[in-house]
Short mmCIF file of all heavy atoms in Angstrom, two decimals:
data_model
loop_
_atom_site.label_atom_id
_atom_site.label_comp_id
_atom_site.label_asym_id
_atom_site.label_seq_id
_atom_site.Cartn_x
_atom_site.Cartn_y
_atom_site.Cartn_z
N ARG A 179 49.42 91.74 -85.68
CA ARG A 179 48.07 91.83 -85.11
C ARG A 179 48.09 92.45 -83.73
O ARG A 179 47.06 92.89 -83.22
CB ARG A 179 47.42 90.47 -85.07
CG ARG A 179 47.09 89.93 -86.42
CD ARG A 179 45.79 90.54 -86.99
NE ARG A 179 45.59 90.17 -88.36
CZ ARG A 179 45.66 90.96 -89.37
NH1 ARG A 179 46.00 92.22 -89.23
NH2 ARG A 179 45.47 90.52 -90.60
N ASP A 182 48.55 96.57 -84.36
CA ASP A 182 47.30 97.19 -84.81
C ASP A 182 46.56 96.17 -85.66
O ASP A 182 47.06 95.74 -86.70
CB ASP A 182 47.64 98.47 -85.60
CG ASP A 182 46.38 99.30 -85.85
OD1 ASP A 182 45.26 98.68 -85.81
OD2 ASP A 182 46.49 100.51 -86.03
N VAL A 183 45.33 95.80 -85.27
CA VAL A 183 44.66 94.76 -85.99
C VAL A 183 44.12 95.24 -87.36
O VAL A 183 43.91 94.50 -88.25
CB VAL A 183 43.37 94.24 -85.25
CG1 VAL A 183 43.76 93.10 -84.37
CG2 VAL A 183 42.67 95.30 -84.54
N THR A 184 43.94 96.58 -87.47
CA THR A 184 43.28 97.06 -88.67
C THR A 184 44.25 97.34 -89.80
O THR A 184 43.82 97.38 -90.96
CB THR A 184 42.48 98.33 -88.36
OG1 THR A 184 43.38 99.31 -87.83
CG2 THR A 184 41.39 98.08 -87.38
N ARG A 185 45.53 97.54 -89.46
CA ARG A 185 46.44 97.94 -90.53
C ARG A 185 47.04 96.74 -91.24
O ARG A 185 47.13 95.65 -90.74
CB ARG A 185 47.58 98.80 -89.94
CG ARG A 185 47.17 100.29 -89.90
CD ARG A 185 48.14 101.07 -89.12
NE ARG A 185 49.50 100.92 -89.59
CZ ARG A 185 50.55 101.23 -88.85
NH1 ARG A 185 50.44 101.61 -87.61
NH2 ARG A 185 51.78 101.11 -89.35
N PRO A 187 49.72 94.26 -92.35
CA PRO A 187 50.96 93.85 -91.69
C PRO A 187 52.21 94.39 -92.37
O PRO A 187 53.18 94.77 -91.70
CB PRO A 187 50.92 92.33 -91.81
CG PRO A 187 49.46 92.00 -91.91
CD PRO A 187 48.80 93.14 -92.58
N ARG A 215 51.00 83.16 -89.21
CA ARG A 215 50.43 84.21 -90.04
C ARG A 215 50.65 85.61 -89.44
O ARG A 215 50.59 85.76 -88.23
CB ARG A 215 48.94 83.97 -90.25
CG ARG A 215 48.68 82.96 -91.32
CD ARG A 215 47.21 82.58 -91.33
NE ARG A 215 46.37 83.71 -91.83
CZ ARG A 215 45.07 83.78 -91.64
NH1 ARG A 215 44.47 82.82 -90.95
NH2 ARG A 215 44.39 84.76 -92.11
N ASP A 216 50.88 86.54 -90.31
CA ASP A 216 51.05 87.96 -89.93
C ASP A 216 52.18 88.17 -88.90
O ASP A 216 52.14 89.06 -88.09
CB ASP A 216 49.74 88.52 -89.30
CG ASP A 216 48.62 88.47 -90.31
OD1 ASP A 216 48.91 88.57 -91.50
OD2 ASP A 216 47.47 88.28 -89.89
N GLU B 170 34.43 89.97 -77.91
CA GLU B 170 35.69 90.30 -78.62
C GLU B 170 35.61 89.93 -80.09
O GLU B 170 36.05 90.66 -80.95
CB GLU B 170 36.84 89.58 -77.98
CG GLU B 170 37.31 90.16 -76.65
CD GLU B 170 36.46 89.70 -75.48
OE1 GLU B 170 35.52 88.90 -75.72
OE2 GLU B 170 36.70 90.14 -74.35
N LYS B 171 34.98 88.77 -80.36
CA LYS B 171 34.95 88.31 -81.73
C LYS B 171 34.18 89.32 -82.63
O LYS B 171 34.65 89.69 -83.68
CB LYS B 171 34.27 86.95 -81.77
CG LYS B 171 34.65 86.16 -83.01
CD LYS B 171 34.05 84.77 -82.92
CE LYS B 171 34.01 84.14 -84.28
NZ LYS B 171 33.25 82.91 -84.27
N ALA B 172 33.02 89.72 -82.11
CA ALA B 172 32.23 90.65 -82.87
C ALA B 172 32.91 92.01 -82.99
O ALA B 172 32.87 92.65 -84.05
CB ALA B 172 30.84 90.85 -82.20
N LEU B 173 33.60 92.42 -81.94
CA LEU B 173 34.28 93.72 -81.98
C LEU B 173 35.37 93.70 -83.03
O LEU B 173 35.44 94.65 -83.83
CB LEU B 173 34.87 94.02 -80.58
CG LEU B 173 35.74 95.29 -80.56
CD1 LEU B 173 34.87 96.51 -80.78
CD2 LEU B 173 36.50 95.40 -79.23
N PHE B 174 36.18 92.65 -83.04
CA PHE B 174 37.29 92.66 -84.02
C PHE B 174 36.80 92.46 -85.43
O PHE B 174 37.39 93.00 -86.39
CB PHE B 174 38.33 91.59 -83.64
CG PHE B 174 39.15 92.02 -82.47
CD1 PHE B 174 39.10 91.32 -81.24
CD2 PHE B 174 39.90 93.16 -82.51
CE1 PHE B 174 39.84 91.73 -80.17
CE2 PHE B 174 40.64 93.59 -81.42
CZ PHE B 174 40.59 92.87 -80.26
N ARG B 175 35.66 91.78 -85.58
CA ARG B 175 35.08 91.66 -86.91
C ARG B 175 34.67 93.05 -87.39
O ARG B 175 34.88 93.46 -88.50
CB ARG B 175 33.88 90.72 -86.86
CG ARG B 175 33.30 90.41 -88.22
CD ARG B 175 32.25 89.34 -88.14
NE ARG B 175 31.20 89.73 -87.18
CZ ARG B 175 30.59 88.89 -86.34
NH1 ARG B 175 30.91 87.60 -86.34
NH2 ARG B 175 29.67 89.32 -85.55
N HIS B 176 34.09 93.81 -86.43
CA HIS B 176 33.67 95.17 -86.75
C HIS B 176 34.86 96.02 -87.17
O HIS B 176 34.83 96.76 -88.14
CB HIS B 176 32.95 95.76 -85.55
CG HIS B 176 32.73 97.26 -85.62
ND1 HIS B 176 31.87 97.80 -86.55
CD2 HIS B 176 33.27 98.28 -84.93
CE1 HIS B 176 31.89 99.11 -86.40
NE2 HIS B 176 32.71 99.42 -85.42
N LEU B 177 35.93 95.92 -86.36
CA LEU B 177 37.12 96.75 -86.65
C LEU B 177 37.78 96.36 -87.96
O LEU B 177 38.20 97.21 -88.72
CB LEU B 177 38.12 96.65 -85.52
CG LEU B 177 37.70 97.24 -84.17
CD1 LEU B 177 38.74 96.98 -83.12
CD2 LEU B 177 37.48 98.76 -84.32
N GLN B 178 37.84 95.02 -88.18
CA GLN B 178 38.58 94.60 -89.34
C GLN B 178 37.88 94.90 -90.65
O GLN B 178 38.49 95.13 -91.67
CB GLN B 178 38.88 93.09 -89.23
CG GLN B 178 40.32 92.94 -88.82
CD GLN B 178 40.70 91.52 -88.59
OE1 GLN B 178 39.83 90.67 -88.35
NE2 GLN B 178 41.99 91.23 -88.63
N THR B 179 36.51 94.87 -90.58
CA THR B 179 35.79 95.17 -91.83
C THR B 179 35.54 96.67 -91.94
O THR B 179 34.78 97.10 -92.79
CB THR B 179 34.43 94.46 -91.87
OG1 THR B 179 33.71 94.82 -90.72
CG2 THR B 179 34.61 92.95 -91.90
N ARG B 180 36.16 97.42 -91.08
CA ARG B 180 36.04 98.88 -91.05
C ARG B 180 34.57 99.32 -91.05
O ARG B 180 34.16 100.18 -91.79
CB ARG B 180 36.77 99.49 -92.27
CG ARG B 180 38.24 99.27 -92.18
CD ARG B 180 38.99 100.20 -93.09
NE ARG B 180 40.40 100.18 -92.72
CZ ARG B 180 41.21 99.15 -92.93
NH1 ARG B 180 40.77 98.04 -93.46
NH2 ARG B 180 42.47 99.24 -92.58
N GLY B 181 33.79 98.69 -90.19
CA GLY B 181 32.43 99.17 -89.96
C GLY B 181 31.37 98.47 -90.80
O GLY B 181 30.19 98.77 -90.67
N ARG B 182 31.77 97.61 -91.74
CA ARG B 182 30.76 96.92 -92.52
C ARG B 182 29.98 95.96 -91.64
O ARG B 182 28.77 95.81 -91.81
CB ARG B 182 31.37 96.19 -93.69
CG ARG B 182 31.13 96.97 -95.04
CD ARG B 182 31.63 96.17 -96.19
NE ARG B 182 33.09 96.02 -96.17
CZ ARG B 182 33.68 94.82 -96.21
NH1 ARG B 182 33.00 93.71 -96.33
NH2 ARG B 182 35.01 94.76 -96.18
N ALA B 183 30.65 95.33 -90.69
CA ALA B 183 29.95 94.53 -89.70
C ALA B 183 29.62 95.49 -88.55
O ALA B 183 30.45 96.30 -88.17
CB ALA B 183 30.81 93.40 -89.17
#
Side-chain angles (χ1 to χ4, degrees):
Chain A
R179 291 280 174 250
D182 193 336
V183 272
T184 57
R185 273 169 57 199
R215 278 172 70 196
D216 300 328
Chain B
E170 285 81 1
K171 202 174 161 190
L173 174 67
F174 286 117
R175 188 173 55 217
H176 168 67
L177 291 176
Q178 257 176 340
T179 57
R180 295 198 164 69
R182 257 185 295 125

